[in-house]
Amino acid sequence: MHRGGLVGARRRPIITAMPAAPRISPAEVFAPDAWAPFQARSAWKGPLLVVHCWGVIALAVLAGVWQPILIPLCVMIIGTRQLGLAILMHEAAHGALAKTLKLNDVLGHWLCAVPIGASLDAYRPYHLSHHRFAQQPEDPDLVLSAPFPVSGDSLRRKMIRDLTGQTFFKQRVLLPLAVLRKRSAAGEAHDYDAIVTGRSVAPFLLVNAVMLAGFIVAGVWWAWFALWLLPMATWFPLVTRLRNIAEHACVEGSATDPFRAARTTRASWWERALIAPYWVNFHAEHHLFMHVACWNLPSLHKAIRATGPGERMEVAPGYVSVLRQAASGRIAETA
């Protein structure tokens, strides 16, 4: 909080509240019977998504071991599902992954967060702060969207750093060392890295050691490096960056209009397979009503777009168009 001046004989400090992001109530958009389906929690859909995510990873690993020529494609598939684990951790942060909070947190932490080096306990307050102050100066994620649009050369350099493992090395080696030494990472690290990744090193190493042991027992020790570590060091950082850009970058009016707090990106089948799993592309709807489970976001999108205010939402035709706008060096005019 920001502290103001002093008032009265006792010179008591005035506490000035931070400006929160603009919000709307579901009642302003939907009748109670139309809103009711979006409030429901499922006992099986969230856990099934976790099983699905690990099942896709397992099948991609088996395909890469069976036919090593498929490894480049498998790296992309696995890296996208590692992002999928982060998305399901995000669902758990909102209490939407399971019907009971205990199961929600166990699945979200141990099966989603820890294997990719994150912590649900650290992520939840950080992420809820992002929702509270979305696109305001206090938004911890503002650093991800504020620099855009950038030049094409700048965006290419960022993507090259992701694909060559430089981003991974900074986040998973340099930052944890800085945290252990109780020093800031030269002021360049995003808060998510410092809060979530930098403080969850031991569980990450433990779980990955168990995974490596399993690959060794199976006689394919090299597959852990080629089909788990390599995707995490290359494709996972890249699609994470693409997701962050698509969600908030270059959206005019995002700080003042709740219907424009984020962008929804229409995703084709290949974009859902290789960039945006588990409906993460429906981000404008998520910021409007953050407790709606991810599997309900497509129907929520249709319902909101059918209303008058829903026409103000920022909807991109695909991730290629978002990248063109982000690399245009200017913010495109709103139609």
Side-chain angles (χ1 to χ4, degrees), residues 300-321:
L300 180 62
H301 170 78
K302 293 179 181 178
I304 295 174
R305 291 289 280 178
T307 68
E311 296 178 357
R312 302 202 304 267
M313 291 169 59
E314 178 86 358
V315 180
Y319 282 86
V320 173
S321 70

Side-chain angles (χ1 to χ4, degrees), residues 20-167:
R23 304 227 173 272
I24 62 167
S25 166
E28 298 178 53
V29 183
F30 299 110
D33 59 336
W35 176 245
F38 299 117
Q39 294 180 291
R41 285 286 186 267
S42 173
W44 59 270
K45 289 183 180 179
L48 184 61
L49 288 180
V50 176
V51 172
H52 176 271
C53 194
W54 280 107
V56 172
I57 291 172
L59 288 174
V61 169
L62 290 174
V65 171
W66 172 57
Q67 291 289 340
I69 195 173
L70 296 176
I71 286 178
L73 176 60
C74 294
V75 164
M76 291 189 286
I77 292 172
I78 294 168
T80 303
R81 292 302 140 177
Q82 289 169 337
L83 173 60
L85 292 175
I87 293 166
L88 296 178
M89 174 189 70
H90 165 266
E91 284 297 297
H94 288 284
L97 195 59
K99 209 163 187 178
T100 65
L101 183 60
K102 184 175 182 179
L103 179 60
N104 176 86
D105 286 3
V106 168
L107 291 176
H109 182 67
W110 289 106
L111 291 185
C112 298
V114 170
I116 58 171
S119 164
L120 178 61
D121 289 340
Y123 175 73
R124 179 177 279 140
Y126 161 88
H127 181 67
L128 294 181
S129 178
H130 162 63
H131 273 275
R132 182 181 178 188
F133 301 112
Q135 297 299 289
Q136 308 299 318
E138 292 79 12
D139 179 1
D141 274 353
L142 190 61
V143 66
L144 297 175
S145 59
F148 293 94
V150 297
S151 69
D153 287 342
S154 176
L155 183 58
R156 279 190 290 273
R157 286 193 297 269
K158 296 177 192 301
M159 296 173 68
I160 289 171
R161 287 198 296 269
D162 296 336
L163 285 174
T164 56
Q166 295 176 63
T167 302

Side-chain angles (χ1 to χ4, degrees), residues 56-324:
V56 172
I57 291 172
L59 288 174
V61 169
L62 290 174
V65 171
W66 172 57
Q67 291 289 340
I69 195 173
L70 296 176
I71 286 178
L73 176 60
C74 294
V75 164
M76 291 189 286
I77 292 172
I78 294 168
T80 303
R81 292 302 140 177
Q82 289 169 337
L83 173 60
L85 292 175
I87 293 166
L88 296 178
M89 174 189 70
H90 165 266
E91 284 297 297
H94 288 284
L97 195 59
K99 209 163 187 178
T100 65
L101 183 60
K102 184 175 182 179
L103 179 60
N104 176 86
D105 286 3
V106 168
L107 291 176
H109 182 67
W110 289 106
L111 291 185
C112 298
V114 170
I116 58 171
S119 164
L120 178 61
D121 289 340
Y123 175 73
R124 179 177 279 140
Y126 161 88
H127 181 67
L128 294 181
S129 178
H130 162 63
H131 273 275
R132 182 181 178 188
F133 301 112
Q135 297 299 289
Q136 308 299 318
E138 292 79 12
D139 179 1
D141 274 353
L142 190 61
V143 66
L144 297 175
S145 59
F148 293 94
V150 297
S151 69
D153 287 342
S154 176
L155 183 58
R156 279 190 290 273
R157 286 193 297 269
K158 296 177 192 301
M159 296 173 68
I160 289 171
R161 287 198 296 269
D162 296 336
L163 285 174
T164 56
Q166 295 176 63
T167 302
F168 175 84
F169 183 76
K170 176 182 174 182
Q171 292 175 341
R172 305 307 176 104
V173 179
L174 297 183
L175 183 62
L177 288 176
V179 171
L180 288 173
R181 296 170 184 169
K182 299 182 179 180
R183 299 187 312 193
S184 66
E188 297 178 357
H190 176 219
D191 283 349
Y192 173 86
D193 301 326
I195 293 172
V196 181
T197 305
R199 297 183 184 177
S200 53
V201 177
F204 170 68
L205 293 177
L206 176 62
V207 167
N208 276 268
V210 172
M211 293 175 65
L212 175 57
F215 279 94
I216 293 173
V217 170
V220 287
W221 61 267
W222 57 268
W224 182 84
F225 295 93
L227 293 166
W228 179 255
L229 186 61
L230 182 61
M232 186 178 295
T234 57
W235 195 256
F236 180 26
L238 176 66
V239 291
T240 299
R241 186 182 299 278
L242 299 184
R243 169 199 172 181
N244 289 332
I245 291 172
E247 288 177 348
H248 290 287
C250 307
V251 181
E252 289 188 346
S254 59
T256 57
D257 185 348
F259 284 89
R260 297 186 60 78
R263 174 190 287 104
T264 281
T265 305
R266 300 190 191 280
S268 62
W269 68 267
W270 69 266
E271 288 173 317
R272 293 194 299 272
L274 299 178
I275 298 175
Y278 305 126
W279 308 282
V280 71
N281 53 303
F282 292 100
H283 204 60
E285 297 77 12
H286 174 63
H287 266 267
L288 274 171
F289 306 116
M290 65 178 177
H291 295 298
V292 175
C294 64
W295 50 85
N296 284 329
L297 291 179
S299 56
L300 180 62
H301 170 78
K302 293 179 181 178
I304 295 174
R305 291 289 280 178
T307 68
E311 296 178 357
R312 302 202 304 267
M313 291 169 59
E314 178 86 358
V315 180
Y319 282 86
V320 173
S321 70
V322 171
L323 289 178
R324 285 173 179 163

